[in-house]
Amino acid sequence: MSLPRTIAVPAEAKGQRLDTFIATFFAAAQVASQAASPAAQLEGISRSRVQLLLDQGDVLVNGGREKASLKLRGGEQITITGDPHPAPLKAVPEAIPLDIVYEDADLAVINKPAGMMVHAGSGQNDFARSGGTLVNALLHRFKALSATGGDLRRVIVHRLDKSTSGLIIVAKNDRAHAALGAMFSGRNVQKTYIALVHGSVQKEKGTITAAVSRDPVRRTRMTTRPSENARSAVSHYKVVRRLATRFGKFTLIEVRIETGRTHQIRVHMASIGHPVVGDTLYGGTAQLTEQDAAQTTRSVRKKKEPERLKLDRNFLHAAKLEFAQPVTGKQLQLEAPLPAELTAFLGRLESV
């Protein structure tokens, strides 16, 4: 890491979490370095890598180890004694087709299908459980990535859930990865999603500002309940179309997120009573039942079964990305249309 190893905490940082302050500090340093010299090869550091440093014991506050959630008072001396060393991802190249929306010497933007994991999760490093991921496909398509930084995580700048489709940026070298990481930390990447949610959203547009943290009981879920480990999260939504169907009421919305917390859109929409269709983890349903037919069956005692409409994924799609190419500065505006299965689902939902 070529960044300063010692940081004096200014008074205005009072109240900030330790991990947030360090990640923000390095992101600002990265942006300043790039502005001063576009060719500068300064390594950025993400919130997850800050956590690795803390877990390794390589972050000292006034000479002692502290938790990531420590609230700073201002005036502390932070010393970073090492580099983050995540366990390397293990994957082999697989000839999996990729929908490449954009590519240059530094990065590629992939239109990821639903059902594909970005990379194998913790404890899933044997091939039987780690095959079929985006990383496997990338290793086949961009063979040089296998040597980038000695760690496959360096190709992954951000993530999409397995059941979410759409645009994801892949770094092809360390320089691009660091710059893109700083851009995401500095909220300089515009990310827009399309989602179908249950019910009729009351407002035509709105903003959800609710910090997100891991659910202490159900660890596969996130929650907006207050927690000292919660991270700020902001989602802006606007109504695209309201649907009053024989399966019930739904709202097609466009969501622009300022932050990229785990399950952010899913947990935010569920928190206001409108879970994403297909998202059973947060109260959505994967199978819709024709309501009118069900009522008719009960009232006149007919044997006709109500129609059921099934969706084997979340109705959530990363539709747009807008950002500056991290090396050349060229403005990129990229889009991916709704995949066929979501378009077909909408068509069936609205058919008479």
Coordinates of all heavy atoms in Angstrom, one line a residue, residues 189-276:
V189 N -20.4 6.7 -8.9 CA -20.9 5.8 -9.9 C -22.5 5.8 -9.7 O -23.0 5.5 -8.6 CB -20.4 4.4 -9.7 CG1 -21.0 3.4 -10.7 CG2 -18.9 4.4 -9.8
Q190 N -23.2 6.2 -10.8 CA -24.7 6.2 -10.7 C -25.2 4.8 -11.1 O -24.9 4.2 -12.1 CB -25.2 7.2 -11.8 CG -24.8 8.6 -11.5 CD -25.8 9.3 -10.5 OE1 -26.8 8.8 -10.2 NE2 -25.4 10.5 -10.0
K191 N -25.9 4.2 -10.1 CA -26.5 2.8 -10.3 C -28.0 2.9 -10.3 O -28.6 3.3 -9.3 CB -25.9 1.9 -9.2 CG -24.4 1.7 -9.2 CD -23.9 1.2 -7.9 CE -23.9 2.2 -6.8 NZ -23.3 1.7 -5.5
T192 N -28.6 2.4 -11.3 CA -30.1 2.5 -11.4 C -30.6 1.1 -11.7 O -30.2 0.4 -12.5 CB -30.6 3.4 -12.5 OG1 -30.0 4.7 -12.3 CG2 -32.1 3.6 -12.5
Y193 N -31.7 0.7 -10.9 CA -32.3 -0.6 -11.0 C -33.7 -0.5 -11.4 O -34.4 0.6 -11.1 CB -32.2 -1.3 -9.6 CG -30.8 -1.7 -9.2 CD1 -29.9 -0.7 -8.8 CD2 -30.4 -3.0 -9.1 CE1 -28.6 -1.1 -8.3 CE2 -29.1 -3.4 -8.7 CZ -28.2 -2.4 -8.3 OH -27.0 -2.7 -7.9
I194 N -34.3 -1.5 -11.9 CA -35.7 -1.7 -12.2 C -36.2 -2.8 -11.3 O -35.6 -3.9 -11.2 CB -36.0 -2.0 -13.6 CG1 -35.6 -0.9 -14.5 CG2 -37.5 -2.3 -13.8 CD1 -36.4 0.4 -14.4
A195 N -37.3 -2.5 -10.5 CA -37.9 -3.5 -9.6 C -39.4 -3.5 -9.7 O -40.0 -2.5 -10.0 CB -37.4 -3.3 -8.2
L196 N -40.0 -4.7 -9.5 CA -41.4 -4.8 -9.4 C -41.7 -5.2 -7.9 O -41.1 -6.2 -7.4 CB -42.0 -5.9 -10.3 CG -43.5 -6.1 -10.3 CD1 -44.2 -4.9 -10.9 CD2 -43.9 -7.4 -11.0
V197 N -42.5 -4.4 -7.3 CA -42.8 -4.6 -5.9 C -44.3 -4.8 -5.6 O -45.1 -4.4 -6.4 CB -42.3 -3.4 -5.0 CG1 -40.8 -3.2 -5.2 CG2 -43.1 -2.1 -5.4
H198 N -44.6 -5.5 -4.5 CA -45.9 -5.8 -4.1 C -46.6 -4.5 -3.7 O -46.0 -3.6 -3.0 CB -46.0 -6.8 -3.0 CG -45.6 -8.2 -3.4 ND1 -46.5 -9.1 -3.9 CD2 -44.4 -8.8 -3.4 CE1 -45.9 -10.2 -4.1 NE2 -44.6 -10.1 -3.8
G199 N -47.9 -4.4 -4.1 CA -48.7 -3.3 -3.6 C -48.6 -2.0 -4.4 O -47.7 -2.0 -5.4
S200 N -49.3 -1.0 -4.1 CA -49.3 0.3 -4.8 C -48.5 1.2 -3.9 O -49.0 1.7 -2.9 CB -50.7 0.8 -5.0 OG -50.7 2.0 -5.8
V201 N -47.3 1.6 -4.4 CA -46.5 2.5 -3.6 C -47.2 3.9 -3.6 O -47.6 4.4 -4.6 CB -45.1 2.7 -4.3 CG1 -44.2 3.7 -3.6 CG2 -44.4 1.3 -4.3
Q202 N -47.3 4.4 -2.4 CA -48.1 5.6 -2.2 C -47.6 6.8 -3.0 O -48.4 7.5 -3.7 CB -48.2 6.0 -0.7 CG -49.1 7.1 -0.4 CD -49.2 7.4 1.1 OE1 -48.4 6.8 1.9 NE2 -50.1 8.2 1.5
K203 N -46.3 7.1 -2.9 CA -45.8 8.3 -3.5 C -45.2 8.0 -4.9 O -44.8 6.9 -5.2 CB -44.7 8.9 -2.6 CG -45.1 9.4 -1.3 CD -43.9 9.9 -0.5 CE -44.3 10.4 0.9 NZ -43.2 10.9 1.7
E204 N -45.3 9.0 -5.8 CA -44.8 8.9 -7.1 C -43.2 8.8 -7.1 O -42.6 8.1 -7.9 CB -45.2 10.1 -8.0 CG -46.6 10.0 -8.4 CD -47.0 8.8 -9.2 OE1 -46.3 8.5 -10.2 OE2 -48.0 8.1 -8.8
K205 N -42.6 9.4 -6.1 CA -41.2 9.3 -5.9 C -40.9 9.5 -4.5 O -41.6 10.2 -3.7 CB -40.4 10.2 -6.8 CG -40.7 11.7 -6.6 CD -39.9 12.5 -7.6 CE -40.1 14.0 -7.4 NZ -39.3 14.9 -8.3
G206 N -39.7 9.0 -4.0 CA -39.3 9.2 -2.6 C -37.9 8.7 -2.4 O -37.3 8.2 -3.3
T207 N -37.5 9.0 -1.2 CA -36.1 8.6 -0.8 C -36.2 7.8 0.5 O -36.9 8.2 1.5 CB -35.2 9.8 -0.6 OG1 -35.0 10.5 -1.8 CG2 -33.8 9.4 0.0
I208 N -35.5 6.6 0.6 CA -35.5 5.8 1.8 C -34.1 6.0 2.4 O -33.1 5.6 1.7 CB -35.8 4.4 1.5 CG1 -37.1 4.2 0.8 CG2 -35.7 3.5 2.8 CD1 -37.4 2.8 0.3
T209 N -34.0 6.5 3.5 CA -32.7 6.7 4.2 C -32.8 5.9 5.5 O -33.3 6.3 6.5 CB -32.4 8.2 4.6 OG1 -32.5 9.0 3.4 CG2 -31.1 8.4 5.2
A210 N -32.3 4.7 5.4 CA -32.3 3.8 6.6 C -31.1 2.9 6.6 O -30.8 2.2 5.6 CB -33.6 2.9 6.5
A211 N -30.3 3.0 7.7 CA -29.1 2.3 7.8 C -29.4 0.8 7.8 O -30.4 0.3 8.3 CB -28.4 2.7 9.1
V212 N -28.4 0.0 7.3 CA -28.6 -1.4 7.1 C -27.5 -2.2 7.8 O -26.4 -1.8 7.8 CB -28.5 -1.8 5.6 CG1 -28.5 -3.3 5.4 CG2 -29.7 -1.1 4.8
S213 N -27.9 -3.3 8.5 CA -27.0 -4.1 9.2 C -27.4 -5.6 9.1 O -28.5 -5.9 8.6 CB -26.9 -3.7 10.7 OG -28.1 -3.9 11.3
R214 N -26.5 -6.5 9.5 CA -26.9 -7.9 9.5 C -27.9 -8.2 10.5 O -27.8 -7.7 11.7 CB -25.6 -8.7 9.7 CG -25.8 -10.2 9.7 CD -26.0 -10.8 8.3 NE -24.9 -10.4 7.4 CZ -24.9 -10.8 6.1 NH1 -25.9 -11.4 5.6 NH2 -23.8 -10.4 5.4
D215 N -28.9 -9.0 10.2 CA -29.9 -9.4 11.1 C -29.3 -10.3 12.2 O -28.7 -11.3 11.8 CB -31.1 -10.1 10.4 CG -32.3 -10.4 11.3 OD1 -32.1 -10.9 12.4 OD2 -33.4 -10.1 10.9
P216 N -29.4 -10.0 13.5 CA -28.7 -10.7 14.5 C -29.2 -12.1 14.7 O -28.6 -13.0 15.2 CB -28.8 -9.9 15.7 CG -30.1 -9.1 15.5 CD -30.1 -8.8 14.0
V217 N -30.5 -12.4 14.2 CA -31.1 -13.7 14.4 C -31.0 -14.5 13.1 O -30.6 -15.6 13.2 CB -32.6 -13.5 14.8 CG1 -33.3 -14.9 15.0 CG2 -32.7 -12.7 16.2
R218 N -31.5 -13.9 12.0 CA -31.4 -14.6 10.7 C -30.2 -14.1 10.0 O -30.4 -13.0 9.3 CB -32.7 -14.5 10.0 CG -33.9 -15.1 10.7 CD -35.2 -14.9 9.9 NE -35.2 -15.5 8.6 CZ -36.1 -15.4 7.7 NH1 -37.2 -14.7 7.9 NH2 -36.0 -16.0 6.5
R219 N -29.1 -14.7 10.0 CA -27.9 -14.2 9.5 C -27.8 -14.1 8.0 O -26.9 -13.4 7.4 CB -26.7 -15.0 10.0 CG -26.6 -15.1 11.5 CD -26.4 -13.8 12.1 NE -25.0 -13.2 11.8 CZ -24.7 -12.0 12.1 NH1 -25.5 -11.2 12.8 NH2 -23.5 -11.5 11.8
T220 N -28.8 -14.7 7.3 CA -28.8 -14.5 5.8 C -29.5 -13.3 5.4 O -29.5 -12.9 4.2 CB -29.5 -15.7 5.2 OG1 -30.8 -15.9 5.7 CG2 -28.7 -17.0 5.4
R221 N -30.1 -12.6 6.4 CA -30.9 -11.4 6.1 C -30.2 -10.1 6.6 O -29.3 -10.2 7.5 CB -32.3 -11.4 6.8 CG -33.3 -12.4 6.2 CD -34.5 -12.5 7.1 NE -35.0 -11.3 7.6 CZ -36.1 -10.7 7.1 NH1 -36.8 -11.2 6.2 NH2 -36.5 -9.5 7.6
M222 N -30.6 -9.0 6.0 CA -30.2 -7.7 6.5 C -31.4 -7.1 7.1 O -32.5 -7.5 6.9 CB -29.6 -6.8 5.4 CG -28.5 -7.5 4.6 SD -27.1 -7.9 5.6 CE -26.3 -6.3 5.9
T223 N -31.2 -6.0 7.9 CA -32.3 -5.4 8.6 C -32.1 -3.9 8.7 O -30.9 -3.4 8.6 CB -32.5 -5.9 10.0 OG1 -33.6 -5.3 10.6 CG2 -31.3 -5.7 10.8
T224 N -33.2 -3.1 8.8 CA -33.0 -1.7 9.0 C -33.3 -1.3 10.5 O -33.4 -0.1 10.8 CB -34.1 -0.9 8.1 OG1 -35.4 -1.4 8.4 CG2 -33.8 -1.1 6.6
R225 N -33.4 -2.3 11.3 CA -33.6 -2.1 12.7 C -32.3 -1.4 13.3 O -31.2 -1.8 12.8 CB -33.9 -3.3 13.5 CG -35.3 -3.9 13.2 CD -35.7 -4.9 14.3 NE -34.8 -6.1 14.2 CZ -35.0 -7.2 13.5 NH1 -36.1 -7.2 12.7 NH2 -34.2 -8.2 13.5
P226 N -32.4 -0.5 14.2 CA -31.2 0.2 14.7 C -30.2 -0.7 15.3 O -30.5 -1.7 16.0 CB -31.8 1.1 15.9 CG -33.2 1.3 15.5 CD -33.7 0.0 14.8
S227 N -28.9 -0.5 15.0 CA -27.8 -1.3 15.4 C -26.5 -0.5 15.4 O -26.4 0.4 14.5 CB -27.7 -2.5 14.5 OG -26.4 -3.2 14.7
E228 N -25.6 -0.7 16.3 CA -24.4 0.0 16.3 C -23.5 -0.3 15.1 O -22.6 0.4 14.8 CB -23.6 -0.2 17.6 CG -23.1 -1.6 17.8 CD -22.1 -1.7 19.0 OE1 -22.1 -0.8 19.8 OE2 -21.5 -2.8 19.1
N229 N -23.8 -1.5 14.5 CA -23.0 -1.9 13.3 C -23.7 -1.5 12.0 O -23.2 -1.9 10.9 CB -22.8 -3.4 13.4 CG -22.0 -3.8 14.6 OD1 -21.0 -3.2 14.9 ND2 -22.4 -4.9 15.2
A230 N -24.8 -0.8 12.1 CA -25.5 -0.4 10.8 C -24.7 0.6 10.0 O -23.9 1.4 10.5 CB -26.8 0.2 11.2
R231 N -24.8 0.4 8.7 CA -24.1 1.3 7.7 C -25.2 2.1 7.0 O -26.2 1.6 6.6 CB -23.3 0.5 6.7 CG -22.2 -0.4 7.4 CD -21.5 -1.2 6.4 NE -20.4 -2.0 6.9 CZ -19.6 -2.8 6.3 NH1 -19.8 -2.9 5.0 NH2 -18.7 -3.5 6.9
S232 N -24.9 3.4 6.8 CA -25.8 4.3 6.2 C -26.1 3.8 4.8 O -25.3 3.2 4.1 CB -25.2 5.7 6.0 OG -24.1 5.7 5.2
A233 N -27.4 3.9 4.4 CA -27.9 3.5 3.1 C -29.0 4.4 2.6 O -29.9 4.8 3.3 CB -28.4 2.0 3.1
V234 N -28.8 4.8 1.3 CA -29.8 5.8 0.7 C -30.3 5.2 -0.6 O -29.5 4.9 -1.5 CB -29.2 7.2 0.5 CG1 -30.2 8.1 -0.1 CG2 -28.6 7.7 1.8
S235 N -31.6 5.1 -0.8 CA -32.2 4.7 -2.1 C -33.2 5.7 -2.5 O -34.1 6.1 -1.7 CB -32.9 3.3 -1.9 OG -31.9 2.3 -1.4
H236 N -33.2 6.1 -3.8 CA -34.2 7.0 -4.3 C -35.0 6.2 -5.3 O -34.5 5.5 -6.2 CB -33.5 8.2 -5.1 CG -32.5 8.9 -4.3 ND1 -32.9 9.9 -3.4 CD2 -31.1 8.8 -4.2 CE1 -31.8 10.4 -2.8 NE2 -30.7 9.8 -3.3
Y237 N -36.3 6.3 -5.2 CA -37.2 5.5 -6.1 C -38.2 6.5 -6.8 O -38.5 7.5 -6.3 CB -37.9 4.4 -5.4 CG -39.0 4.9 -4.4 CD1 -40.3 5.2 -4.8 CD2 -38.7 5.1 -3.0 CE1 -41.2 5.7 -3.9 CE2 -39.6 5.5 -2.1 CZ -40.9 5.8 -2.6 OH -41.8 6.3 -1.7
K238 N -38.7 6.0 -8.0 CA -39.8 6.7 -8.6 C -40.6 5.7 -9.3 O -40.1 4.7 -9.8 CB -39.3 7.8 -9.6 CG -38.5 7.3 -10.8 CD -38.2 8.5 -11.7 CE -37.5 8.0 -13.0 NZ -37.1 9.2 -13.8
V239 N -41.9 5.9 -9.4 CA -42.8 5.0 -10.0 C -42.7 5.1 -11.5 O -42.8 6.2 -12.1 CB -44.3 5.3 -9.6 CG1 -45.3 4.5 -10.3 CG2 -44.4 5.1 -8.1
V240 N -42.6 3.9 -12.1 CA -42.6 3.8 -13.6 C -44.0 3.5 -14.1 O -44.5 4.1 -15.1 CB -41.6 2.8 -14.1 CG1 -41.7 2.6 -15.6 CG2 -40.2 3.1 -13.7
R241 N -44.6 2.5 -13.4 CA -46.0 2.1 -13.8 C -46.7 1.4 -12.7 O -46.0 0.7 -11.9 CB -45.9 1.1 -15.0 CG -47.2 0.8 -15.7 CD -47.0 0.3 -17.1 NE -46.7 -1.1 -17.2 CZ -45.6 -1.6 -17.7 NH1 -44.6 -0.9 -18.0 NH2 -45.5 -2.9 -17.8
R242 N -48.0 1.7 -12.5 CA -48.8 1.0 -11.5 C -49.6 -0.1 -12.2 O -50.2 0.1 -13.3 CB -49.7 2.0 -10.8 CG -48.9 3.1 -10.0 CD -49.9 4.0 -9.3 NE -49.1 5.1 -8.7 CZ -48.5 5.0 -7.5 NH1 -48.6 3.9 -6.8 NH2 -47.9 6.0 -7.0
L243 N -49.7 -1.2 -11.6 CA -50.4 -2.4 -12.2 C -51.5 -2.9 -11.2 O -51.2 -3.2 -10.1 CB -49.4 -3.5 -12.4 CG -48.3 -3.4 -13.4 CD1 -47.2 -2.5 -12.9 CD2 -47.7 -4.7 -13.9
A244 N -52.7 -2.8 -11.7 CA -53.9 -3.4 -11.0 C -54.3 -4.6 -11.8 O -54.9 -4.5 -12.9 CB -55.0 -2.4 -10.9
T245 N -53.9 -5.8 -11.3 CA -54.1 -7.0 -12.1 C -55.0 -8.0 -11.4 O -55.3 -7.8 -10.2 CB -52.7 -7.7 -12.3 OG1 -52.3 -8.4 -11.1 CG2 -51.7 -6.7 -12.7
R246 N -55.3 -9.1 -12.0 CA -56.1 -10.1 -11.4 C -55.4 -10.8 -10.3 O -55.9 -11.6 -9.5 CB -56.7 -11.1 -12.4 CG -55.7 -11.9 -13.1 CD -56.3 -12.7 -14.2 NE -55.4 -13.7 -14.8 CZ -54.5 -13.5 -15.8 NH1 -54.4 -12.2 -16.2 NH2 -53.8 -14.4 -16.3
F247 N -54.0 -10.6 -10.2 CA -53.2 -11.2 -9.2 C -53.0 -10.2 -8.0 O -52.3 -10.6 -7.1 CB -51.8 -11.6 -9.8 CG -51.9 -12.7 -10.8 CD1 -52.0 -12.4 -12.2 CD2 -52.0 -14.0 -10.5 CE1 -52.1 -13.3 -13.1 CE2 -52.0 -15.0 -11.4 CZ -52.1 -14.7 -12.8
G248 N -53.5 -9.0 -8.2 CA -53.3 -8.0 -7.1 C -52.7 -6.8 -7.7 O -52.5 -6.6 -8.9
K249 N -52.3 -5.9 -6.8 CA -51.7 -4.6 -7.2 C -50.2 -4.7 -7.0 O -49.7 -5.2 -6.0 CB -52.2 -3.5 -6.3 CG -53.7 -3.2 -6.6 CD -54.2 -2.0 -5.8 CE -55.6 -1.7 -6.1 NZ -56.1 -0.5 -5.3
F250 N -49.5 -4.1 -8.0 CA -48.0 -4.1 -8.0 C -47.6 -2.7 -8.5 O -48.3 -2.0 -9.2 CB -47.5 -5.2 -8.9 CG -48.0 -6.5 -8.5 CD1 -49.1 -7.1 -9.1 CD2 -47.3 -7.3 -7.6 CE1 -49.6 -8.3 -8.7 CE2 -47.7 -8.6 -7.2 CZ -48.9 -9.1 -7.8
T251 N -46.3 -2.4 -8.3 CA -45.7 -1.1 -8.8 C -44.4 -1.4 -9.4 O -43.5 -2.0 -8.8 CB -45.6 -0.1 -7.7 OG1 -46.8 0.0 -6.9 CG2 -45.2 1.3 -8.2
L252 N -44.2 -1.0 -10.7 CA -42.9 -1.1 -11.3 C -42.2 0.2 -11.0 O -42.7 1.3 -11.3 CB -43.1 -1.3 -12.8 CG -41.8 -1.6 -13.6 CD1 -41.3 -3.0 -13.3 CD2 -42.1 -1.5 -15.1
I253 N -41.0 0.1 -10.4 CA -40.3 1.3 -10.0 C -38.8 1.3 -10.5 O -38.3 0.3 -10.9 CB -40.2 1.4 -8.4 CG1 -39.5 0.2 -7.8 CG2 -41.6 1.6 -7.8 CD1 -39.2 0.3 -6.3
E254 N -38.3 2.5 -10.6 CA -36.9 2.7 -10.9 C -36.2 3.1 -9.6 O -36.7 4.0 -8.9 CB -36.7 3.7 -12.0 CG -35.3 4.0 -12.4 CD -35.2 5.0 -13.5 OE1 -35.4 4.6 -14.7 OE2 -35.0 6.2 -13.2
V255 N -35.1 2.5 -9.2 CA -34.4 2.8 -8.0 C -33.0 3.2 -8.3 O -32.2 2.5 -8.9 CB -34.4 1.6 -7.0 CG1 -33.9 2.1 -5.6 CG2 -35.8 1.1 -6.8
R256 N -32.6 4.4 -7.8 CA -31.2 4.8 -7.9 C -30.6 4.8 -6.5 O -31.1 5.4 -5.6 CB -31.1 6.2 -8.5 CG -29.6 6.7 -8.6 CD -29.5 8.0 -9.3 NE -30.2 9.1 -8.5 CZ -29.7 9.7 -7.5 NH1 -28.5 9.5 -7.1 NH2 -30.4 10.7 -6.9
I257 N -29.5 4.0 -6.3 CA -28.9 3.9 -5.0 C -27.6 4.7 -4.9 O -26.8 4.7 -5.8 CB -28.6 2.4 -4.6 CG1 -27.7 1.7 -5.6 CG2 -29.9 1.6 -4.5 CD1 -27.3 0.3 -5.2
E258 N -27.5 5.4 -3.8 CA -26.3 6.2 -3.5 C -25.2 5.3 -2.9 O -24.0 5.5 -3.1 CB -26.6 7.3 -2.5 CG -27.4 8.5 -3.2 CD -27.4 9.7 -2.2 OE1 -26.6 9.8 -1.3 OE2 -28.3 10.5 -2.4
T259 N -25.6 4.3 -2.1 CA -24.7 3.4 -1.4 C -25.0 2.0 -2.0 O -26.0 1.8 -2.7 CB -25.0 3.4 0.1 OG1 -26.4 3.3 0.3 CG2 -24.5 4.7 0.7
G260 N -24.1 1.1 -1.7 CA -24.3 -0.3 -2.2 C -24.2 -1.3 -1.1 O -23.4 -2.2 -1.1
R261 N -25.1 -1.2 -0.1 CA -25.1 -2.2 1.0 C -25.7 -3.5 0.5 O -26.5 -3.6 -0.4 CB -25.9 -1.6 2.1 CG -25.5 -0.3 2.6 CD -24.0 -0.2 2.9 NE -23.7 1.2 3.4 CZ -22.4 1.7 3.3 NH1 -21.5 1.0 2.8 NH2 -22.2 2.9 3.7
T262 N -25.3 -4.6 1.2 CA -25.9 -5.9 0.9 C -27.4 -5.9 1.0 O -28.0 -5.4 2.0 CB -25.3 -6.9 1.9 OG1 -23.9 -6.9 1.9 CG2 -25.9 -8.3 1.6
H263 N -28.0 -6.4 -0.1 CA -29.5 -6.4 -0.2 C -30.2 -5.1 0.0 O -31.4 -5.0 0.4 CB -30.1 -7.4 0.9 CG -29.6 -8.8 0.8 ND1 -29.9 -9.8 1.7 CD2 -28.7 -9.4 -0.1 CE1 -29.3 -10.9 1.4 NE2 -28.6 -10.7 0.3
Q264 N -29.5 -4.0 -0.3 CA -30.0 -2.7 0.0 C -31.4 -2.4 -0.5 O -32.3 -2.0 0.2 CB -29.1 -1.6 -0.5 CG -29.6 -0.2 -0.2 CD -28.6 0.9 -0.5 OE1 -27.4 0.8 -0.3 NE2 -29.1 2.0 -1.1
I265 N -31.7 -2.6 -1.8 CA -33.0 -2.3 -2.4 C -34.0 -3.2 -1.8 O -35.1 -2.8 -1.5 CB -32.9 -2.4 -3.9 CG1 -32.1 -1.2 -4.5 CG2 -34.3 -2.3 -4.5 CD1 -31.9 -1.3 -6.0
R266 N -33.7 -4.5 -1.7 CA -34.6 -5.5 -1.2 C -35.0 -5.2 0.2 O -36.3 -5.2 0.5 CB -34.0 -6.9 -1.3 CG -33.6 -7.3 -2.7 CD -32.6 -8.5 -2.7 NE -33.2 -9.6 -2.0 CZ -32.4 -10.7 -1.7 NH1 -31.1 -10.8 -2.1 NH2 -33.0 -11.7 -1.1
V267 N -34.1 -4.9 1.1 CA -34.5 -4.6 2.5 C -35.1 -3.2 2.6 O -36.0 -3.0 3.5 CB -33.2 -4.7 3.4 CG1 -32.3 -3.6 3.2 CG2 -33.7 -4.8 4.9
H268 N -34.7 -2.2 1.8 CA -35.4 -0.9 1.9 C -36.8 -1.0 1.5 O -37.7 -0.4 2.1 CB -34.6 0.1 1.0 CG -33.5 0.8 1.8 ND1 -32.7 1.8 1.2 CD2 -33.1 0.8 3.1 CE1 -31.9 2.3 2.1 NE2 -32.1 1.7 3.2
M269 N -37.1 -1.6 0.3 CA -38.5 -1.7 -0.1 C -39.4 -2.5 0.8 O -40.5 -2.2 1.1 CB -38.5 -2.3 -1.5 CG -37.9 -1.4 -2.6 SD -38.3 0.4 -2.6 CE -40.1 0.3 -2.8
A270 N -38.8 -3.6 1.4 CA -39.6 -4.3 2.4 C -39.8 -3.5 3.6 O -40.9 -3.6 4.2 CB -38.8 -5.6 2.8
S271 N -38.9 -2.6 4.0 CA -39.1 -1.8 5.2 C -40.3 -0.8 5.1 O -40.8 -0.3 6.1 CB -37.8 -1.0 5.5 OG -37.6 0.1 4.6
I272 N -40.7 -0.5 3.8 CA -41.8 0.4 3.7 C -43.1 -0.3 3.2 O -44.0 0.2 2.7 CB -41.5 1.6 2.7 CG1 -41.2 1.1 1.3 CG2 -40.4 2.4 3.2 CD1 -41.2 2.2 0.2
G273 N -43.0 -1.7 3.4 CA -44.2 -2.5 3.1 C -44.4 -2.9 1.7 O -45.5 -3.4 1.3
H274 N -43.3 -2.8 0.8 CA -43.4 -3.2 -0.6 C -42.3 -4.1 -1.0 O -41.4 -3.6 -1.7 CB -43.5 -1.9 -1.4 CG -44.7 -1.0 -1.2 ND1 -46.0 -1.3 -1.6 CD2 -44.8 0.1 -0.5 CE1 -46.8 -0.4 -1.2 NE2 -46.1 0.5 -0.5
P275 N -42.3 -5.3 -0.5 CA -41.1 -6.2 -0.9 C -41.1 -6.5 -2.4 O -42.1 -6.4 -3.1 CB -41.4 -7.5 -0.1 CG -42.9 -7.4 0.1 CD -43.3 -6.0 0.3
V276 N -39.9 -6.8 -2.9 CA -39.7 -7.1 -4.3 C -40.4 -8.4 -4.6 O -40.3 -9.4 -3.9 CB -38.2 -7.2 -4.6 CG1 -38.0 -7.7 -6.0 CG2 -37.5 -5.8 -4.4

